[in-house]
């Protein structure tokens, strides 16, 4: 396997042709490679650039990140690079007027680490931090971290559940803890920001730069919110007023270009989905709009012949195992569209587990031979902020442990 990606169709990435950038790999959709393999870089850039490999320069760099935190913001003060490697470019393809694919070769003697990626062409320079990791080989028993609901931008907002928390500092301390544990990778399953604006996404991106392990990101319902003018809990407002896909432009441009994707990591096959915005509102709870009709055949094709796969999405599919008696069997907060089709598909194709967030709580339910887990918020679960650590066994099966922080962080 040359890299972690199975979503190889360039048209699957959100083009956003109004901005020139590296569209893949990115800080929220990295490539994990072994020495001697090929790094595939997708670019969104101007027309008429050279397709001769000699006209392109690809470098990877590692160094010490300097991120400062204060007054509810994160500031990138630059990186002290102590190692830069130039990668030979083997091929450049212009497959659409704005899009280019650049193939570069990974040296056999590459050092295991997480690298920034830099591409230069036609006098322009493009960078994606934490976009490429080298490992000597894929492990037979991968261990990964599931995080959820950091809600960057929430600080001091007059919400009805928790107020006046410093979510940026809490998230940063959670990242430091993960860095000390060093899992193989991290998946953050949505509600990256509390509402979509440049400052919140910029803070989120700088926080992601602090990770010392690759991070894959998914979208949650809050990432769709385009403003914070509403007061109180958002389900009190109609969805068309509250959300707008335009809110996701920064995410697609600078974090992760794909709303859905999948990858292999050793024996692990991971499928990551966008469970959508809010829907079917009540006075106290927002459901997930769910999976599209287009998602279902895509999902089936990526699960077929891959038993014991893992699925990740923001909203849970079922909450029947909830400890709250008032919500037992109610499935509040779960996906709505294609919910039963999704669960039937997971059962038929022997999915091992579905990991979700959204509820800021720990819940578990097994149905149709499939395990369903919800993961607590890393910042907004009150006195019990936490995450899950999952270890996949080489002989099949897995273990999932909730790691609680010792205090409110």
């Amino acid at each position: 396997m040359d890299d972690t990606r199975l979503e190889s169709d360039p048209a699957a990435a959100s083009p956003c042709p109004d901005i020139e950038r590296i569209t893949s790999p990115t800080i929220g959709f990295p490539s994990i490679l072994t020495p001697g393999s090929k790094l595939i870089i997708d670019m969104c850039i101007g027309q008429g650039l050279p397709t001769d490999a000699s006209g392109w320069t690809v470098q990877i760099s590692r160094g010490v990140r300097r991120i400062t935190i204060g007054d509810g913001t994160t500031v990138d003060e630059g990186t002290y690079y102590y190692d830069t490697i130039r990668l030979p470019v083997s091929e450049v393809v212009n497959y659409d007027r704005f899009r280019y694919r650049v193939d570069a070769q990974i040296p056999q003697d590459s050092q295991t680490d997480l690298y920034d990626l830099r591409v230069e062409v036609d006098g322009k320079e493009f960078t994606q931090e934490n976009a490429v990791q080298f490992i000597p080989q894929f492990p037979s028993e991968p261990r990964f971290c599931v995080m959820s609901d950091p809600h960057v931008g929430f600080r001091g907002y007059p919400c009805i559940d928790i107020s006046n928390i410093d979510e940026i500092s809490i998230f940063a301390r959670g990242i430091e803890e993960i860095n000390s544990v060093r899992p193989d990778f991290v998946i953050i399953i949505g509600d990256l920001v509390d509402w979509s604006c440049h400052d919140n996404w910029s803070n989120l991106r700088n926080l992601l730069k602090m990770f010392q392990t690759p991070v894959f990101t998914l979208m949650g319902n809050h990432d769709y919110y385009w403003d914070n003018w509403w007061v109180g809990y958002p389900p009190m407002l109609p969805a068309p007023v509250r959300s707008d896909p335009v809110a996701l432009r920064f995410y697609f441009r600078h974090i992760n270009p794909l709303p859905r994707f999948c990858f292999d990591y050793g024996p692990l096959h991971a499928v990551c989905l966008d469970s959508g915005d809010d829907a079917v509102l009540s006075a106290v709870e927002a459901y997930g709009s769910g999976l599209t009709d287009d998602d279902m055949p895509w999902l089936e094709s990526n699960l077929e012949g891959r038993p014991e796969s893992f699925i990740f999405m923001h909203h849970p599919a079922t909450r029947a195992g909830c400890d709250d008696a008032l919500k037992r069997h109610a499935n509040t907060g779960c996906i709505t569209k294609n919910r039963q089709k999704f669960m039937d598909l997971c059962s038929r194709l022997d999915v091992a587990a579905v990991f979700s967030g959204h509820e800021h709580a720990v819940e578990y339910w097994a149905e149709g031979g499939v395990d369903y887990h919800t993961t607590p918020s890393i910042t907004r679960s009150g006195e019990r902020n936490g995450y899950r650590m999952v270890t996949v066994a080489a002989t099949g099966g897995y273990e999932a442990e909730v790691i609680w922080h010792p205090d409110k962080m």
Side-chain angles (χ1 to χ4, degrees):
M1 179 175 64
D2 286 337
D3 66 17
T4 52
R5 298 181 301 162
L6 295 182
E7 184 76 53
S8 57
D9 179 9
S14 300
C16 296
D18 54 327
I19 183 170
E20 298 180 335
R21 71 206 190 282
I22 299 171
T23 57
S24 174
T26 66
I27 195 169
F29 182 58
S31 287
I32 303 174
L33 307 164
T34 55
S37 58
K38 181 170 62 176
L39 171 62
I40 301 173
I41 305 166
D42 290 328
M43 303 284 299
C44 185
I45 198 170
Q47 303 179 56
L49 294 177
T51 55
D52 186 341
S54 63
W56 296 72
T57 300
V58 175
Q59 293 180 330
I60 53 170
S61 303
R62 55 179 175 164
V64 179
R65 195 84 69 207
R66 293 172 291 192
I67 305 291
T68 60
I69 298 175
D71 298 325
T73 63
T74 61
V75 178
D76 182 1
E77 296 184 337
T79 302
Y80 171 71
Y81 291 113
Y82 54 79
D83 188 20
T84 296
I85 304 170
R86 181 166 176 170
L87 305 182
V89 177
S90 57
E91 185 179 23
V92 178
V93 178
N94 180 202
Y95 56 83
D96 193 3
R97 49 183 188 151
F98 293 109
R99 298 175 181 174
Y100 293 77
R101 193 195 74 193
V102 182
D103 294 349
Q105 196 68 28
I106 305 302
Q108 288 286 354
D109 59 351
S110 300
Q111 296 294 311
T112 300
D113 213 334
L114 185 62
Y115 292 84
D116 292 356
L117 172 64
R118 188 161 63 245
V119 178
E120 297 179 26
V121 61
D122 198 31
K124 301 175 183 179
E125 183 177 301
F126 306 90
T127 300
Q128 277 284 353
E129 293 88 353
N130 289 3
V132 181
Q133 186 193 40
F134 297 153
I135 57 175
Q137 61 185 15
F138 287 94
S140 60
E141 295 192 336
R143 184 181 62 151
F144 62 91
C145 170
V146 181
M147 277 187 172
S148 189
D149 294 86
H151 285 275
V152 171
F154 174 76
R155 184 180 185 182
Y157 195 78
C159 190
I160 63 175
D161 53 357
I162 308 170
S163 61
N164 299 315
I165 64 171
D166 183 354
E167 86 294 340
I168 288 179
S169 295
I170 294 173
F171 191 20
R173 289 198 291 273
I175 294 170
E176 291 173 356
E177 183 173 331
I178 294 299
N179 286 341
S180 68
V181 176
R182 299 304 287 262
D184 291 312
F185 59 87
V186 176
I187 294 184
I188 307 179
I189 50 177
D191 281 1
L192 305 170
V193 297
D194 200 57
W195 55 282
S196 188
C197 70
H198 181 274
D199 288 347
N200 288 347
W201 285 118
S202 180
N203 281 333
L204 184 278
R205 183 178 173 85
N206 283 337
L207 286 160
L208 294 181
K209 294 176 187 178
M210 296 174 61
F211 278 98
Q212 296 172 8
T213 192
V215 178
F216 297 90
T217 60
L218 286 73
M219 298 180 294
N221 55 307
H222 273 258
D223 302 317
Y224 280 86
Y225 298 166
W226 64 273
D227 204 347
N228 74 334
W229 60 266
W230 41 267
V231 176
Y233 197 57
M236 297 176 184
L237 295 174
V241 174
R242 200 181 57 254
S243 67
D244 188 339
V246 172
L248 293 169
R249 283 185 179 177
F250 190 103
Y251 176 79
F252 287 134
R253 290 169 174 173
H254 302 290
I255 308 295
N256 184 343
L258 297 175
R260 67 187 187 198
F261 58 95
C262 54
F263 63 92
D264 286 334
Y265 195 97
L268 166 69
H269 181 61
V271 181
C272 301
L273 300 170
D274 172 21
S275 59
D277 187 20
D278 294 328
V280 192
L281 306 181
S282 70
V284 295
E285 185 61 81
Y287 294 71
S289 57
L291 304 178
T292 67
D293 292 339
D294 181 57
D295 285 330
M296 301 310 295
W298 180 90
L299 177 62
E300 183 170 10
S301 68
N302 280 286
L303 292 175
E304 197 78 52
R306 294 181 176 272
E308 298 294 303
S309 294
F310 294 84
I311 296 177
F312 304 86
M313 61 185 183
H314 180 65
H315 296 91
T318 179
R319 299 192 63 214
C322 180
D323 292 334
D324 186 345
L326 294 176
K327 292 182 177 179
R328 189 175 298 277
H329 300 292
N331 293 308
T332 54
C334 297
I335 60 173
T336 54
K337 188 171 184 179
N338 285 316
R339 175 180 177 274
Q340 194 58 52
K341 287 182 179 179
F342 170 78
M343 295 181 68
D344 291 345
L345 183 65
C346 290
S347 180
R348 178 168 61 85
L349 296 179
D350 297 322
V351 168
V354 178
F355 290 93
S356 303
H358 186 62
E359 294 300 323
H360 301 186
V362 175
E363 298 172 5
Y364 168 78
W365 185 252
E367 187 168 334
V370 180
D371 294 336
Y372 294 90
H373 300 272
T374 60
T375 298
S377 169
I378 190 64
T379 65
R380 284 188 56 191
S381 292
E383 297 184 5
R384 305 201 77 192
N385 297 313
Y387 55 89
R388 286 189 184 272
M389 194 66 69
V390 183
T391 303
V392 181
T395 55
Y398 70 97
E399 293 184 359
E401 179 185 7
V402 177
I403 308 296
W404 298 109
H405 295 293
D407 54 30
K408 292 184 179 181
M409 298 182 67

